[in-house]
Amino acid sequence: MGDFGEVRSLVHHSEPSKEVFARLVRAFKGARDQGEAERVWLPYALEHLGRWRDEDREIKLMSEGDEDTFWFEIARALAVKSSRWSPDALRSLLTSERLAGVVSLDVEQGAPGEVMGWIAGSEHVGALRSLRLGRTKGGRVSMLGLEATSTLRLGSLDLSGCRLLNHGLKLLARSPALAGLHTLNVSRCGIGGEGMRAWARTSHLKGVRSLDLSMNALLKGELDLWASAEGLSLIHI
């Protein structure tokens, strides 16, 4: 069972880390008086967690119902075991106002192919800067809805293993969500020269410093072009 003394010790006196944060989550889960934990523990924790790195404040949601708690607010990074969620429940989570403070989101393998559109269409992803999508059901991931987003602005995007294909990359290239992108992983995405030429015609690539194109259907000449692209400091082809 958690108590307020443990919470104070963890957030104020412990060296910040993912392991300590996991202990903090367990303390909230084990609180005898959930009302007191929400009224007293939560404001105290939020006040002192400001000095922690966002990546250390990660909550892993393993199944439906894990998100239905007041202490979800302490998270800045979120990993979702999407294969254990129904499509409706997963969509509800990814478009929920509970994600308003989340800066890093990892949707693990097994989500429906429409998952990117759900996230892009949410009003509550303004803080999100890093997004990773695991391989979706059926492999294919749709980029529909990404062009029209008014909220999402990513710095890092990892789609490795998703069947993006040339059409998907073209839609991705036109999205305002990627205007500030600095890291992109599209390895094993089934893209070819047509998709990469469309990407090269956009202004989004200018800010990308790390690019992973490995294990795609790109010809040597196309790979050489990207290997010599100005501004890229790290590239995997």
Side-chain angles (χ1 to χ4, degrees):
M1 291 289 184
D3 58 54
F4 188 37
E6 181 182 7
V7 170
R8 285 185 297 181
S9 176
L10 290 172
V11 301
H12 191 61
H13 300 296
S14 300
E15 187 67 25
S17 69
K18 289 184 177 182
E19 292 73 20
V20 172
F21 190 76
R23 290 169 58 192
L24 178 64
V25 170
R26 288 196 294 271
F28 271 99
K29 285 183 176 181
R32 294 182 180 89
D33 187 337
Q34 290 287 303
E36 178 189 355
E38 184 171 6
R39 293 190 311 271
V40 181
W41 302 14
L42 181 61
Y44 183 89
L46 289 173
E47 178 183 354
H48 292 281
L49 285 170
R51 67 186 179 92
W52 288 46
R53 298 183 306 169
D54 291 330
E55 56 264 39
D56 287 333
R57 296 171 62 178
E58 182 182 62
I59 286 180
K60 295 184 178 181
L61 300 181
M62 302 303 293
S63 58
E64 294 178 36
D66 283 355
E67 81 289 359
D68 192 22
T69 55
F70 67 87
W71 45 262
F72 191 90
E73 191 177 341
I74 66 177
R76 289 294 177 267
L78 182 64
V80 185
K81 191 76 172 179
S82 54
S83 61
R84 299 184 181 179
W85 293 62
S86 69
D88 287 345
L90 185 61
R91 181 173 187 171
S92 178
L93 169 67
L94 297 178
T95 57
S96 167
E97 62 183 9
R98 290 182 176 275
L99 264 67
V102 171
V103 300
S104 177
L105 176 61
D106 183 350
V107 182
E108 298 179 5
Q109 182 173 331
E114 301 84 6
V115 63
M116 179 64 93
W118 298 345
I119 296 169
S122 173
E123 300 176 355
H124 309 295
V125 291
L128 190 62
R129 294 295 177 265
S130 177
L131 174 62
R132 177 186 175 275
L133 296 184
R135 183 176 176 84
T136 56
K137 289 180 180 177
R140 187 83 176 266
V141 60
S142 173
M143 294 294 112
L144 294 177
L146 198 59
E147 289 181 81
T149 183
S150 60
T151 307
L152 188 62
R153 295 293 184 270
L154 294 173
S156 176
L157 178 61
D158 186 345
L159 296 172
S160 55
C162 294
R163 295 291 293 172
L164 187 60
L165 307 181
N166 288 327
H167 177 68
L169 189 62
K170 290 178 182 179
L171 292 176
L172 192 68
R174 294 197 293 266
S175 173
L178 273 62
L181 200 69
H182 56 75
T183 302
L184 176 65
N185 187 339
V186 286
S187 65
R188 297 176 290 116
C189 285
I191 57 177
E194 179 186 352
M196 291 311 298
R197 285 191 292 273
W199 181 268
R201 289 193 291 268
T202 74
S203 60
H204 299 333
L205 185 65
K206 294 179 180 178
V208 173
R209 295 294 176 263
S210 177
L211 177 64
D212 192 335
L213 295 170
S214 59
M215 301 180 71
N216 282 298
L218 295 170
L219 301 175
K220 185 179 185 303
E222 294 161 342
L223 293 174
D224 290 343
L225 173 66
W226 292 101
S228 60
E230 183 179 353
L232 286 174
S233 57
L234 180 62
I235 183 168
H236 299 283
I237 56 177

